[in-house]
Amino acid sequence: MDMKTTTAEFLDKIRTSAPLVHNITNFVVMNPTANMLLAIGASPVMAHSRREVADMAAMAGALVLNIGTLAEKWIEAMVLAARAANQRGIPVILDPVGAGATGYRTRTVRHILNEANISVIRGNASEVLALAVDDVKTKGVDSSLSLSDEIAEAAGAIARQHGCIVAISGEKDLVTDGGRVVRVANGVPLMTRVTGLGCGLSAVAGAFCAVARDDLLAATAAAFGFYGLCGELAMAVSERPGSFYVAFLDSLYSAGRAEIHQHLMIT
């Protein structure tokens, strides 16, 4: 598969169809997440009430669940929304923010995985590995583990267990369906210095999955690659976090086929 052409085609579909991406996400990142989705051409909605999440999820192109600021009512809403999405074959992306840092977070992610079908799990290495290994600990929401072959094997096992895509962010990202493994080399370290960029990636992955339901592995890898190359383009404009974020948002909006064919690094 020519991932450069595929990624450009997915991005074109997002910009022409403006898929609705339903986010049940955390307080910290609601605004930047909505802006990132708008920048790439998608339509964001942030709906959290248990009274409406099932209806909202049923009309969306993708559902993104983010456990960053946990509350019991939100967990219930996430399960209700995911079940509604499952009934209509709508992709569900789960961002297990901070899984492994506390037992509550890890149990919450496992609860969601047990109660609904998740299409994509997107996190850093320690967050994802916490779903398989009880004694993995995290430092806040940062990864303390490199993307070694051992972690690739563990990610594959999680993907097979849950019948989903597992996507791990790192110096070189890893995306797997439990059989195939894709590596993405785009991105810059400064992206870790801006709050919400990891969560934004989960939402952007949702937009890509919304327009490519038949190949969620390719859709997720394409989202990672495009997002990372936009970080590279922003880095060329500014090396300071505040102005970098503005440049990054502009890159999400303006980058297209030319930039993808020149900068995308997916193997």
Side-chain angles (χ1 to χ4, degrees):
M1 179 184 296
D2 179 357
M3 281 303 300
K4 291 183 177 181
T5 299
T6 298
T7 300
E9 290 175 351
F10 290 162
L11 182 62
D12 286 345
K13 288 181 181 179
I14 292 170
R15 289 174 172 170
T16 56
S17 65
L20 181 67
V21 180
H22 178 193
N23 301 269
I24 303 180
T25 191
N26 70 73
F27 292 119
V28 178
V29 304
M30 285 187 192
N31 180 273
T33 295
N35 283 334
M36 291 177 210
L37 286 169
L38 287 170
I40 67 168
S43 300
V45 63
M46 276 63 179
H48 301 81
S49 171
R50 290 171 294 172
R51 296 186 179 185
E52 70 167 347
V53 289
D55 291 338
M56 190 67 74
M59 70 177 71
L63 170 67
V64 179
L65 308 177
N66 179 306
I67 69 163
T69 48
L70 276 179
E72 282 74 12
K73 291 182 179 179
W74 280 25
I75 297 167
E76 295 172 19
M78 288 179 182
V79 172
L80 289 172
R83 287 175 174 171
N86 289 165
Q87 291 176 356
R88 293 179 176 265
I90 295 164
V92 181
I93 291 78
L94 174 61
D95 190 332
V97 179
T102 67
Y104 178 49
R105 286 183 177 274
T106 306
R107 289 192 300 271
T108 295
V109 176
R110 289 176 175 167
H111 171 69
I112 294 170
L113 288 168
N114 289 333
E115 294 296 321
N117 295 322
I118 300 301
S119 309
V120 179
I121 301 172
R122 204 284 329 158
N124 63 41
S126 54
E127 289 167 345
V128 173
L129 214 60
L131 307 181
V133 182
D134 288 336
D135 61 356
V136 171
K137 301 298 181 182
T138 62
K139 179 183 177 183
V141 294
D142 298 322
S143 172
S144 60
L145 302 168
S146 62
L147 299 189
S148 64
D149 290 341
E150 181 181 1
I151 291 177
E153 291 176 6
I158 294 169
R160 290 188 295 272
Q161 178 185 357
H162 296 287
C164 69
I165 306 299
V166 172
I168 301 179
S169 302
E171 185 176 348
K172 192 172 185 180
D173 306 321
L174 181 152
V175 183
T176 182
D177 60 3
R180 297 171 292 172
V181 176
V182 178
R183 299 277 187 170
V184 183
N186 292 105
V188 293
L190 189 57
M191 297 175 77
T192 66
R193 308 298 292 177
V194 180
T195 297
L197 258 63
C199 299
L201 174 55
S202 297
V204 168
F208 274 78
C209 288
V211 300
R213 295 184 188 181
D214 293 337
D215 194 345
L216 296 181
L217 179 74
T220 305
F224 270 65
F226 180 70
Y227 202 80
L229 73 84
C230 286
E232 294 165 8
L233 295 172
M235 186 76 172
V237 176
S238 173
E239 297 183 2
R240 297 182 178 183
S243 49
F244 170 85
Y245 170 69
V246 174
F248 177 69
L249 200 64
D250 289 344
S251 295
L252 289 174
Y253 176 81
S254 61
R257 285 182 175 267
E259 290 78 10
I260 289 170
H261 282 279
Q262 183 176 358
H263 297 288
L264 193 71
M265 292 184 287
I266 298 178
T267 57

